[in-house]
Amino acid sequence: MSDPECLVSSYTEWQPLEEVIIGHVFQIRTPVFDRSFQLFFSDNFHDGYFFSDPEFDLPNRFVEEGQEDLEEFSQILSDFGIKVRRPTNIFDGPTLFSTPYGWKGYASPALNVRDQCLIYGNTILETPPLVRTRFYENDQLKPLFYEYLKSGANWISAPRPIMTDNSFDDSYVRRTSPKNAGEAVSTVHDIGVEMMIDGAQCMRLGKDIIINVANKNHELGFKWLKRNLPDVRFHKICIADSHIDGRLVPLAPGKLLVDGRRIPSNDMLPPLLQTWDVIRVTEQELSKEAYQYEDISLASIAIDINVLSLDEKHVVVNKAATRMIKLLEKNGMIPVPVRFRHGRVLGGAFHCVTLDVRRRGDCEDYFT
Ligand SMILES: NC(=[NH2+])NCCC[C@H](N)C(=O)O
């Protein structure tokens, strides 16, 4: 039985949300267009996205409007009676850091706070970063994690990888978009393939977790997660370069939202989800016109499926995605439209920019 005082308790993507961290954004220097960046975004490179100037600074407009939208989103969730927390800005603007391993980067904002953490039960699991510039990102969440620890939460952090070129396994990219694989540079620091996986590669379904494993880095991360969550039934899939909340998002027990372009049939889903009602979003519902700046988008037009459930009925969705909103209503959901203008440029939407720290309910078994 969990400690009633503990502020952290979350077993699914849909139980009633009580406390959530919503990310923030500050001036972003485009992540160094390095091996970690290329391998992480390989599905989109494969689809022809490109970055005109890999070393450019993100225009201030995206930062200011992104922050405006996050503030408005925070207020809307507060009006729902949800306790909203925000990261601490410990960097004063673009901060370049270097490492003893021959690489450097600009510290990234804790914007897509879903990515480098998995909350399961009363435990915060900080996952080992996949992208070099995100190496210190979770430090912006530490003040909150200390508060949660003092309230009774368990806090586990994975070994930080040294992330030399040869730390990365590029087998997924070689298989799916060979021209983007690039070549690793050997250094004296190499220790071989390392554990690297994001929390956003997981979807929590009570006693079961779906996990996307696309390479040997993820496989080692999966081993680490299983050792730390021994009672969880994990279901391994490989449907993306890393994160799956741009491919499939469970909305409620028995109801799943998927990107129909990437998951055209249910047999691509893990067996336990094949009996669920699948709401398939097609090109028709995806709002290409809602976004601009294709050439600096980190996320695909499917980012509108990256929704956040407030409970088994209410789901936060991009206000501009009008056809998606109609599709959700047709399938019995109550959409909560919220403005989020730059999910593609910023590489994430409502599921990405949130970490659902506490949802009301116990660890249910939805499959036996
Ligand atoms: N947690 C996240 N940042 N997820 C974003 C996934 C976006 C997905 N790769 C796409 O391009 O549509």
Side-chain angles (χ1 to χ4, degrees), residues 109-304:
L111 167 61
N112 293 311
V113 289
R114 174 78 54 178
D115 295 356
Q116 298 189 152
C117 284
L118 179 68
I119 303 284
Y120 187 79
N122 304 132
T123 301
I124 303 163
L125 295 111
E126 289 194 78
T127 51
L130 280 162
V131 181
R132 284 172 171 150
T133 54
R134 305 189 74 175
F135 204 69
Y136 293 106
E137 187 175 308
N138 279 11
D139 292 355
Q140 300 159 70
L141 304 175
K142 275 197 163 80
L144 287 170
F145 289 175
Y146 274 110
E147 180 188 331
Y148 295 143
L149 175 81
K150 290 168 187 166
S151 82
N154 186 18
W155 178 8
I156 302 168
S157 188
R160 281 189 192 226
I162 69 169
M163 304 179 94
T164 61
D165 276 7
N166 280 309
S167 297
F168 297 88
D169 168 41
D170 59 9
S171 53
Y172 174 88
V173 181
R174 289 202 178 282
R175 203 168 59 247
T176 56
S177 54
K179 67 178 171 47
N180 291 316
E183 287 309 321
V185 174
S186 296
T187 75
V188 67
H189 312 295
D190 291 346
I191 57 171
V193 172
E194 292 189 277
M195 176 196 309
M196 291 186 252
I197 190 167
D198 271 0
Q201 294 178 227
C202 297
M203 279 294 172
R204 301 158 303 162
L205 314 168
K207 285 195 180 301
D208 296 80
I209 291 183
I210 312 284
I211 184 166
N212 187 64
V213 176
N215 61 36
K216 293 177 188 150
N217 302 113
H218 301 164
E219 192 61 52
L220 288 168
F222 174 39
K223 276 188 185 4
W224 175 78
L225 277 171
K226 276 200 303 184
R227 300 271 161 79
N228 283 286
L229 296 173
D231 299 331
V232 168
R233 294 188 298 244
F234 280 94
H235 305 265
K236 236 165 81 167
I237 55 176
C238 180
I239 55 169
D241 47 11
S242 56
H243 299 170
I244 46 174
D245 55 0
R247 297 279 192 279
L248 63 88
V249 182
L251 301 179
K255 197 167 278 190
L256 184 68
L257 186 67
V258 303
D259 175 357
R261 305 169 312 155
R262 301 272 195 168
I263 307 178
S265 69
N266 285 9
D267 56 18
M268 292 177 70
L269 295 169
L272 83 168
L273 291 181
Q274 291 184 7
T275 58
W276 278 29
D277 291 341
V278 175
I279 304 172
R280 195 158 262 114
V281 180
T282 67
E283 290 286 345
Q284 166 63 21
E285 285 80 32
L286 292 172
S287 55
K288 205 175 170 70
E289 66 277 6
Y291 297 102
Q292 306 162 19
Y293 306 98
E294 190 93 19
D295 63 342
I296 55 173
S297 291
L298 297 180
S300 75
I301 56 168
I303 197 60
D304 284 339

